[in-house]
Amino acid sequence: MTGLYVGVGRPAPLGVQECRDGLNFALFSRHAERVELLLYEKASSESPIAVVDLGTPEHRTGDVWHAMVGGLGWGQAYAYRAFGSWAPKQGLRFNGDIELLDPHALAVRIDPRASPDVHRYRSLLVDRNFDWQGTVRPQRPWSETIVYETHVRGLTIDHSSGVAHPGTFLGVAEKLPYLVGLGVTAIELMPVQAFDDLRAMGRDPTTGRPLYNYWGYDPIALFAPHPGYAAQRDSGGEVREFKTMVRELHRNGVEVILDMVFNHTAEGGEHGPTFGFRGLDDGIYYLHGDDLRSYADYSGCGNTLNCNHPIVRDYIIDCLRYWATDMQVDGFRFDLASILGRDEHGKLTANAPLLERIAQDPVLQGVKLIAEAWDAGGAYQVGGFAGARWAEWNGRFRDDVRRFWRGDAGMAQPFAERLGGSADLYERSGKAPINSINFVTCHDGLTLSDVVSYAGKRNLANGEGDRDGTQENFSANYGVEGESADPEIERVRIRQIKNLLATVLLSRGVPMLLGGDEFRRTQHGNNNPYCQDNEVSWYDWRFVERHIQIVRFVKEMIKCRKRYSALSADVFNSPDEVRWFAPGGGAPDWDGSTHALGCLVRGPSDRTFDDGKAGGGVRPLEPMLCMLFNAGETAVEFFPPEEPPQGWRLVFDTGLPGPDDISRTAALPVTGNVPRYTLDARALAMLCCR
């Protein structure tokens, strides 16, 4: 061990900590009988330059194994070996022949040559210093947030992206002019925690090409950014480049939300590889069945993390704190978040310790929290997730809005609820519209163009016999399955795309757009392209010019949302602020099969103003809005029940071709003294008082 100094070290904090005397290594394992720390000159080195035996009493404090090592440099690699009993029925799976990752590793190397079961991954030593150049977090309130969900690699890997660093964190930053121009305020990135995208998962039966883990929902290291998203493949460069991306997004007022996978790991089920938790303390880190040999699987991926065990709970909090502080992340979306509320027996708990702790953690105050409020074990908690801090992906919004615009009967009432912020789901538990993340598409499902082009999914290329992916997509093809050159079919599809996008941006709550929907990105009917690292998933930026009128429509709709606070208010409508009506002006027939209805919306009226008189006064923040919806197949004539003193002005009408679809100058046609507006089939219009 020439040049290295080994000292006793300290048990906290876990992971690697830079100290005056060197680097402190600390690892938790309650049931290991002996632990070794392996140190490597390079990440690719075959053999360690030193093996530090932590089995002596001075290197163990309670359940933590530790050592101080001097003489190491950034970029060098390390691993652990844990020795103990092999007794799977007791939750013990120790194997001293396997190198294990540090659960707190800040960077990892994935060796494409190694077996996935042995020595494939190594932890790296990373310098945590970074020049943030004085940038600060945008700290936007929920009511001003517009989320754009995307995939780091897919966003720019296609040559049409025109970036210098395709498929990387830096490539995301290069797309800032487009994102800022579109008007989004936050970018939600699919998993950036390190995952193994180098191991083939099978072959596409239609083409024969290999399939890889593209989405990234199979983490191997929860503190580490994915090394495949770095432009420079030097050891740990992905940490520096991730921070660079965040810095530039913040400089331009865009927040960063990460999709975090804490529900399972890539170690899978009983026959999966061992590289971390399983080899360190299987019985603590994972949920098991009655026989500890088997794994409880509420994730659909072979295993489930034991999230409410105190050790695992602390680990997840440490991880979130790291991403929120060192990496300056603004928010987190928790994949299959219902799992975070399951106890050691797999039962959902009313006051799950982990969920409460995340919400109350002092370091995480101000960080946005989003739950995917369901899991693969049958839990569905939309509208009932734990506490007001948590926003939720509103799956009911997606389904109800799709069904209304598809023309399904009986959807007028649910549609009205979704537009108003889903009070039926959130108000009873003391939540607000901003607890609802409103979307009609996300990574998990069809793209928006495919929602209006395919009546069914087309997943054969995934190699699972088309059995994967959700069966009910609430989609329609309007005459032809897939792409069509028929101008009438295309006219309907474009109109429906605008209707769905406009509904998201008109509804109270937090709007989320799936990246590429604004220029009709297609996955050719595949609603589960988790393994399609190819043109099925990649963004074709040539579509921006091809569908420039839709891009323009989205830009103007975002401006419209920002202009009228009645659309983004963080409270539910009071009875005097909203009025729903039938086309003739009377009350809607909520129990019937109506496909057309309208509503009058006033802005929140609880703000005071100074009119120069004692006591001031109260007035709405902006003019009244009139929204008209027609999901039917024939035109409808609307007679708004109120006429403002200054009359109505048309803001937009999806039934009109671009660029006339969104206008600031058109006047509402009137007959005599009665205002009326004819809305074409499958169209949405908004009027405001002049």
Side-chain angles (χ1 to χ4, degrees):
M1 295 193 297
T2 304
L4 297 182
Y5 161 78
V6 178
V8 172
R10 297 191 292 270
L14 294 174
V16 177
Q17 184 75 18
E18 185 178 10
C19 304
R20 181 178 61 183
D21 300 328
L23 298 176
N24 190 74
F25 294 79
L27 177 78
F28 166 83
S29 180
R30 177 165 297 165
H31 296 102
E33 298 170 6
R34 185 166 64 88
V35 171
E36 291 179 347
L37 169 63
L38 285 66
L39 302 170
Y40 293 88
E41 181 67 32
K42 299 178 181 178
S44 58
S45 298
E46 293 290 335
S47 302
I49 56 173
V51 177
V52 181
D53 185 356
L54 305 182
T56 55
E58 64 268 21
H59 286 298
R60 185 174 185 180
T61 303
D63 296 331
V64 180
W65 310 74
H66 49 80
M68 179 75 68
V69 182
L72 294 171
W74 304 126
Q76 289 186 244
Y78 68 103
Y80 289 100
R81 290 197 187 111
F83 300 82
S85 299
W86 177 263
K89 291 185 178 180
Q90 301 173 35
L92 303 175
R93 292 176 178 268
F94 292 102
N95 184 342
D97 292 330
I98 297 177
E99 290 186 12
L100 302 173
L101 282 172
D102 178 0
H104 288 75
L106 304 185
V108 298
R109 178 180 185 268
I110 304 172
D111 187 348
R113 304 165 301 172
S115 161
D117 298 308
V118 183
H119 304 170
R120 188 174 179 86
Y121 315 122
R122 281 189 184 150
S123 308
L124 301 176
L125 300 174
V126 178
D127 184 359
R128 295 170 70 161
N129 293 313
F130 182 75
D131 182 7
W132 290 97
Q133 298 179 358
T135 56
V136 296
R137 300 173 187 268
Q139 294 186 313
R140 293 185 183 273
W142 272 122
S143 59
E144 296 178 6
T145 299
I146 299 171
V147 181
Y148 189 89
E149 190 202 21
T150 190
H151 186 279
V152 171
R153 178 171 168 83
L155 183 69
T156 63
I157 190 61
D158 190 83
H159 65 87
S160 62
S161 69
V163 302
H165 305 96
T168 67
F169 296 127
L170 297 182
V172 173
E174 289 183 74
K175 278 297 177 184
L176 264 166
Y178 176 83
L179 297 170
V180 172
L182 194 62
V184 298
T185 69
I187 185 168
E188 182 176 309
L189 298 175
M190 291 171 66
V192 302
Q193 297 164 300
F195 62 94
D196 192 343
D197 60 350
L198 301 177
R199 179 166 54 92
M201 303 170 64
R203 291 191 177 275
D204 178 345
T206 63
T207 65
R209 62 187 174 188
L211 301 172
Y212 298 93
N213 181 0
Y214 170 70
W215 276 0
Y217 289 96
D218 222 4
I220 61 172
L222 297 173
F223 282 68
H226 181 52
Y229 293 161
Q232 300 295 324
R233 297 301 176 92
D234 56 323
S235 295
E238 59 272 20
V239 177
R240 180 179 62 255
E241 292 185 17
F242 179 89
K243 291 179 177 179
T244 300
M245 176 193 70
V246 173
R247 182 185 68 198
E248 297 311 306
L249 286 165
H250 284 177
R251 196 192 305 276
N252 287 272
V254 179
E255 293 186 311
V256 180
I257 299 172
L258 297 187
D259 195 336
M260 306 296 281
V261 183
F262 289 123
N263 54 76
H264 78 284
T265 75
E267 287 187 305
E270 182 179 355
H271 302 293
T274 296
F275 55 79
F277 294 144
R278 176 177 288 149
L280 290 170
D281 234 317
D282 183 69
I284 285 179
Y285 281 109
Y286 293 115
L287 291 179
H288 295 80
D290 294 334
D291 178 355
L292 293 182
R293 177 186 292 275
S294 63
Y295 291 85
D297 185 9
Y298 299 103
S299 66
C301 298
N303 64 47
T304 306
L305 279 176
N306 188 9
C307 294
N308 283 291
H309 187 287
I311 296 300
V312 185
R313 194 163 65 232
D314 285 349
Y315 173 79
I316 291 174
I317 293 294
D318 286 348
C319 186
L320 291 172
R321 286 178 170 181
Y322 172 74
W323 285 101
T325 56
D326 275 49
M327 307 297 261
Q328 293 288 292
V329 167
D330 304 284
F332 304 105
R333 179 264 188 190
F334 294 79
D335 181 59
L336 299 181
S338 291
I339 286 175
L340 278 63
R342 292 188 181 272
D343 65 17
E344 62 181 336
H345 303 293
K347 296 181 179 179
L348 292 168
T349 58
N351 298 296
L354 175 59
L355 297 176
E356 285 193 339
R357 188 166 173 194
I358 291 172
Q360 297 296 328
D361 186 81
V363 177
L364 301 177
Q365 293 303 302
V367 171
K368 290 179 168 67
L369 303 177
I370 305 172
E372 183 184 35
W374 55 81
D375 65 24
Y380 192 80
Q381 298 176 296
V382 172
F385 207 74
R389 274 290 317 273
W390 289 89
E392 304 170 18
W393 267 25
N394 190 344
R396 289 279 299 278
F397 184 99
R398 172 198 58 206
D399 297 345
D400 291 346
V401 170
R402 284 191 189 184
R403 293 187 65 192
F404 174 80
W405 283 114
R406 190 172 67 170
D408 291 12
M411 295 308 299
Q413 179 75 57
F415 179 80
E417 293 283 6
R418 303 305 149 244
L419 194 81
S422 296
D424 60 326
L425 300 179
Y426 297 106
E427 193 170 30
R428 64 178 179 271
S429 59
K431 294 191 175 186
I434 54 176
N435 290 105
S436 175
I437 306 296
N438 298 333
F439 65 101
V440 290
T441 51
C442 62
H443 72 272
D444 194 0
L446 297 172
T447 66
L448 189 51
S449 186
D450 289 354
V451 166
V452 300
S453 302
Y454 292 86
K457 62 184 175 68
R458 299 298 174 92
N459 293 3
L460 284 173
N462 295 349
E464 298 185 39
D466 207 25
R467 295 182 299 274
D468 62 306
T470 183
Q471 300 299 317
E472 183 52 83
N473 297 283
F474 304 118
S475 59
N477 62 28
Y478 302 101
V480 172
E481 188 75 352
E483 296 183 10
S484 172
D486 186 318
E488 179 58 25
I489 291 175
E490 278 295 281
R491 184 186 67 82
V492 174
R493 289 177 176 177
I494 291 171
R495 185 175 296 187
Q496 290 288 61
I497 286 171
K498 291 179 181 179
N499 291 336
L500 290 160
L501 288 170
T503 301
V504 171
L505 292 165
L506 291 175
S507 299
R508 286 200 182 178
V510 181
M512 184 182 79
L513 307 177
L514 174 62
D517 274 354
E518 74 279 8
F519 54 77
R520 294 195 66 179
R521 183 173 73 88
T522 177
Q523 292 167 176
H524 309 291
N526 193 323
N527 75 350
N528 188 37
Y530 70 97
C531 55
Q532 298 295 328
D533 188 6
N534 50 57
E535 65 279 357
V536 171
S537 300
W538 299 345
Y539 290 39
D540 187 338
W541 288 91
R542 295 173 298 178
F543 280 33
V544 172
E545 289 303 317
R546 189 176 305 172
H547 301 291
I548 193 63
Q549 288 299 338
I550 301 179
V551 176
R552 173 188 172 275
F553 180 81
V554 172
K555 287 182 180 180
E556 293 300 323
M557 279 301 308
I558 289 175
K559 291 178 184 177
C560 181
R561 180 180 179 83
K562 294 177 179 179
R563 187 180 310 125
Y564 301 112
S565 66
L567 304 177
S568 59
D570 55 7
V571 294
F572 293 112
N573 285 306
S574 63
D576 63 338
E577 290 172 354
V578 62
R579 177 180 177 184
W580 287 92
F581 59 91
D589 180 11
W590 295 118
D591 297 326
S593 58
T594 181
H595 297 298
L597 70 163
C599 71
L600 300 174
V601 182
R602 295 176 173 87
S605 57
D606 57 351
R607 308 288 182 91
T608 61
F609 70 99
D610 184 2
D611 59 0
K613 301 177 182 179
V618 177
R619 66 181 177 194
L621 291 178
E622 73 248 335
M624 182 165 53
L625 304 177
C626 178
M627 291 182 272
L628 309 174
F629 309 93
N630 180 16
E633 298 182 3
T634 58
V636 173
E637 192 168 50
F638 279 92
F639 293 85
E642 293 187 33
E643 167 71 354
Q646 301 301 317
W648 291 110
R649 175 176 64 81
L650 178 64
V651 179
F652 72 86
D653 183 342
T654 64
L656 300 175
D660 297 327
D661 51 357
I662 187 160
S663 168
R664 300 183 185 180
T665 59
L668 177 64
V670 295
T671 299
N673 295 322
V674 181
R676 69 183 183 190
Y677 191 81
T678 301
L679 187 62
D680 203 358
R682 297 191 178 103
L684 188 168
M686 188 173 83
L687 321 171
C688 75
C689 54
R690 286 185 280 181

